[in-house]
């Protein structure tokens, strides 16, 4: 294995590099499309299937992706990142078609689980950029890849609004299937394969314990309010989930080839990065989940003070500042990380998100308030993604890039699943009845206020970690530095 092989684009002109980068971004932007198009459809999905458990439509994607990410990362180290990305694209398309044709909520969830392949596509795209791009170009390229070239950020919400209002929520999934199918041949023809290879055995038992363990635990949290926190089914789910995760930790400490290398995870650079980014990302996911309910609920309903009665198209118009500002903030965050250090960019993201959470508790429903809130959130999103990409890559040597990126991806996706599921559970505990018409749930003001507040508490913890951690204070290098490999002992945790 060659630790740091010459990138295949070392002699490529900058113009051709940007063309290649554009293709990678167009492909990886399915994650942005998934967020900007499916989140506005969530209230419509809840009404169509008459369920309080609609949060699982979002969280099952990240849970499935997090469960498979260790296998995906190891497969990419052995087979090549490009090959694995193309295989995941096929799975994503099949999942999109299943969700579009779903005749039951269970079928919808099955399709969404298959769409979890996008988690691997995005995570591997970061690592692929590091492998194939010239070193001095990597920090900026990572910032651009993190937030895209703007097509999905700008067009995604409006396409989603038009599709939902004109053809229903199912049309969003048909769009995602067609989009990825059309890009597969272009990606296969243009993007070079990564030269980085490794051959590591797979810990299948660890895989079966991690993702499903988190899922069982979250199911117990989701159902706790409805079943009762002291009920036998709730306690059983919580205990089984906790035991599975405890067994996972034991397995990782005893396995010859662990699924997650604790030496990497608890490294003095890598460990604090994963935790800090995960806490800040919690706010991002809670915001994305709460805003459609806040704005698409009809105005003037008895018992609540929020609601703007927006259609999906108007929702896109009112919140499009998020995508526009994220498009600017992604490259800007990459440049800032290269000049001042990615930790500083992460701190900026955390502060902006905390402001967004505070403003969210005010339940804004006028146009100027929502535009301002969306703009702040957009800068926070761009800074978060660009800082995360650079922090992770600078914490890892080339030979650990695949596994390390996998671990970071698992952390981010589990955070997303937890944020959406817990926020959904909080909202379900503050239902105020049914909307006029019978099927859609009406939430009390406290459902949204508590959702924003709890997210702010988690995000504040991330800010504290970012403030004290030492990694990321120096300018980003695109992974050129070799990280300190010394792990943090479980019994003697070192300072961040």
């Amino acid at each position: 294995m060659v630790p740091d092989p010459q990138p295949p684009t070392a002699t490529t002109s900058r113009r051709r590099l940007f063309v290649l980068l554009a293709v990678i971004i167009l492909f990886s932007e399915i994650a942005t499309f998934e967020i900007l198009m499916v989140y506005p459809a969530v209230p419509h999905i809840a009404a169509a299937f008459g369920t309080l458990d609609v949060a699982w439509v979002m969280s099952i994607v990240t849970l499935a992706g997090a469960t498979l990410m260790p296998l995906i990362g190891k497969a990419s180290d052995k087979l090549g990142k490009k090959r694995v990305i193309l295989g995941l694209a096929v799975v994503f398309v099949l999942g999109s078609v299943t969700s579009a044709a779903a005749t039951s909520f269970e079928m919808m969830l099955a399709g969404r689980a298959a769409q979890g392949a996008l988690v691997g596509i995005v995570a591997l795209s970061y690592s692929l950029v590091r492998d194939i791009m010239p070193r001095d170009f990597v920090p900026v390229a990572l910032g651009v890849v993190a937030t895209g070239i703007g097509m999905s950020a700008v067009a995604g919400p409006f396409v989603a609004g038009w599709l939902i209002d004109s053809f229903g929520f199912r049309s969003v999934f048909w769009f995602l299937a067609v989009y990825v199918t059309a890009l597969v041949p272009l990606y296969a023809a243009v993007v070079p394969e990564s030269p980085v290879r490794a051959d590591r055995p797979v810990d299948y038992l660890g895989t079966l314990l991690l993702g499903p363990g988190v899922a069982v635990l979250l199911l117990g949290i989701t159902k706790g309010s409805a079943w009762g926190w002291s009920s036998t089914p709730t306690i059983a789910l919580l205990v089984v989930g906790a035991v599975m995760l405890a067994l996972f930790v034991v397995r990782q400490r005893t396995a010859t080839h662990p699924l997650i290398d604790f030496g990497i995870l608890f490294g003095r650079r890598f460990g604090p990065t994963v935790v800090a980014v995960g806490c800040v990302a919690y706010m991002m996911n809670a915001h994305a989940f709460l805003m459609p309910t806040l704005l698409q609920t009809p105005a003037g309903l008895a018992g609540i003070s929020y609601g703007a009665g927006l259609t999906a198209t108007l929702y896109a118009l009112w919140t499009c500042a998020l995508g526009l500002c994220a498009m600017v903030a992604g490259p800007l965050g990459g440049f800032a990380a290269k000049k001042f250090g990615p930790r500083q960019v992460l701190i900026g993201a955390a502060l902006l998100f905390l402001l967004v959470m505070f403003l969210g508790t005010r339940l804004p429903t006028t146009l100027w308030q929502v535009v301002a809130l969306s703009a702040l959130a957009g800068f926070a999103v761009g800074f978060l993604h660009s800082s995360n990409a650079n922090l992770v890559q600078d914490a890892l040597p080339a030979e650990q890039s695949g596994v390390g990126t996998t671990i970071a991806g698992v952390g981010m996706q589990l955070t997303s699943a937890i944020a959406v599921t817990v926020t959904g559970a909080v909202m379900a505990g503050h239902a105020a009845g049914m909307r006029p018409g019978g099927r859609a749930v009406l939430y009390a003001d406290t459902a949204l206020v508590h959702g924003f507040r709890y997210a702010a508490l988690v995000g504040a913890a991330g800010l504290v970690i970012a403030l004290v951690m030492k990694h990321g204070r120096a300018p980003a290098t695109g992974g050129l530095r070799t990280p300190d490999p010394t792990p943090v002992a479980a019994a003697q945790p070192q300072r961040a």
Side-chain angles (χ1 to χ4, degrees):
M1 179 178 65
V2 181
D4 195 6
Q6 183 78 355
T9 59
T11 59
T12 303
S13 68
R14 283 302 172 97
R15 182 175 180 179
R16 291 183 63 86
L17 285 177
F18 278 109
V19 171
L20 171 59
L21 190 60
V23 175
I24 295 175
I25 291 169
L26 286 172
F27 204 76
S28 62
E29 275 191 336
I30 59 171
T32 310
F33 272 128
E34 198 273 337
I35 293 173
L36 297 179
M37 299 183 74
V38 179
Y39 270 101
V42 165
H44 303 270
I45 296 172
F49 293 106
T51 179
L52 275 172
D53 296 327
V54 71
W56 282 92
V57 170
M58 304 307 302
S59 58
I60 198 168
V61 174
T62 50
L63 278 174
T67 300
L68 295 176
M69 267 307 297
L71 302 180
I72 291 170
K74 289 180 183 289
S76 70
D77 282 337
K78 184 175 183 178
L79 303 175
K81 297 178 178 68
K82 174 185 173 180
R83 292 187 182 93
V84 174
I85 287 173
L86 290 174
L88 292 172
V90 174
V91 176
F92 179 85
V93 170
L94 293 175
S96 300
V97 172
T98 302
S99 295
T103 56
S104 66
F105 190 59
E106 292 74 19
M107 186 176 176
M108 167 64 70
L109 293 181
R112 293 290 287 157
Q115 283 189 300
L118 70 86
V119 173
I121 292 173
V122 175
L124 291 182
S125 293
Y126 292 147
S127 192
L128 181 64
V129 165
R130 169 177 163 158
D131 292 350
I132 67 175
M133 292 289 179
R135 279 283 176 259
D136 64 337
F137 189 64
V138 169
V140 175
L142 288 173
V144 177
V145 171
T147 49
I149 59 176
M151 187 193 71
S152 62
V154 177
F158 291 100
V159 173
W162 173 69
L163 288 173
I164 294 170
D165 291 339
S166 301
F167 306 104
F169 71 86
R170 298 178 188 277
S171 58
V172 168
F173 298 107
W174 287 118
F175 173 87
L176 292 172
V178 172
Y179 176 82
V180 175
T181 300
L183 280 177
V184 164
L186 178 63
Y187 192 94
V190 173
V191 177
E193 181 58 275
S194 166
V196 177
R197 290 290 187 278
D199 188 8
R200 301 179 179 91
V202 176
D203 179 15
Y204 294 102
L205 178 57
T207 300
L208 292 175
L209 289 172
L210 177 59
V214 174
V216 172
L217 193 64
L218 290 180
L219 183 59
I221 294 173
T222 302
K223 292 296 187 181
S225 298
W227 294 347
W229 292 103
S230 60
S231 67
T232 300
T234 300
I235 294 175
L237 287 173
L238 295 176
V239 170
V240 170
V243 169
M244 291 178 70
L245 293 179
L247 290 174
F248 170 77
V249 173
V250 173
R251 170 65 180 176
Q252 298 315 287
R253 292 193 174 279
T254 58
T256 304
H257 302 284
L259 184 69
I260 292 179
D261 187 338
F262 280 7
I264 297 177
L265 179 60
F266 294 117
R268 287 182 291 184
R269 291 180 176 179
F270 190 76
T273 293
V274 172
V275 177
V277 169
C279 289
V280 177
Y282 188 106
M283 294 189 287
M284 175 181 68
N285 288 283
H287 169 265
F289 186 73
L290 289 163
M291 289 304 290
T293 298
L294 174 63
L295 297 177
Q296 293 188 26
T297 298
L301 295 181
I304 64 171
S305 64
Y306 69 92
L310 301 184
T311 64
T313 303
L314 282 176
Y315 177 83
L317 181 64
W318 281 35
T319 60
C320 67
L322 191 154
L324 290 169
C325 292
M327 178 183 65
V328 174
L332 180 62
F335 281 111
K338 187 176 181 180
K339 185 172 180 62
F340 304 109
R343 185 198 72 126
Q344 287 81 330
V345 180
L346 177 61
I347 290 172
L351 291 172
L352 286 172
F353 268 128
L354 285 171
L355 179 58
V356 169
M357 296 301 103
F358 170 75
L359 295 176
T361 63
R362 316 308 295 173
L363 304 181
T365 55
T366 61
L367 176 59
W368 75 268
Q369 292 173 332
V370 174
V371 170
L373 184 69
S374 299
L376 290 172
F379 276 101
V381 168
F383 289 160
L384 171 62
H385 285 309
S386 59
S387 63
N388 177 43
N390 279 292
L391 282 167
V392 169
Q393 293 306 319
D394 271 3
L396 300 167
E399 65 270 18
Q400 293 180 330
S401 175
V403 174
T405 302
T406 294
I407 296 173
V410 168
M412 281 286 284
Q413 298 312 315
L414 290 180
T415 297
S416 175
I418 292 169
V420 171
T421 305
V422 172
T423 303
V426 169
M427 293 175 66
H430 295 269
M434 303 298 292
R435 293 188 198 176
R439 298 196 72 180
V441 177
L442 181 65
Y443 296 100
D445 289 8
T446 51
L448 302 176
V449 172
H450 288 332
F452 282 115
R453 284 180 178 171
Y454 293 160
L457 289 175
V458 178
L463 174 60
V464 171
I465 296 171
L467 286 170
V468 300
M469 75 182 192
K470 296 180 179 179
H471 174 53
R473 300 189 182 203
T477 65
L480 189 59
R481 281 194 303 267
T482 301
D484 182 353
T486 305
V488 178
Q492 298 177 332
Q494 299 181 26
R495 291 184 301 167

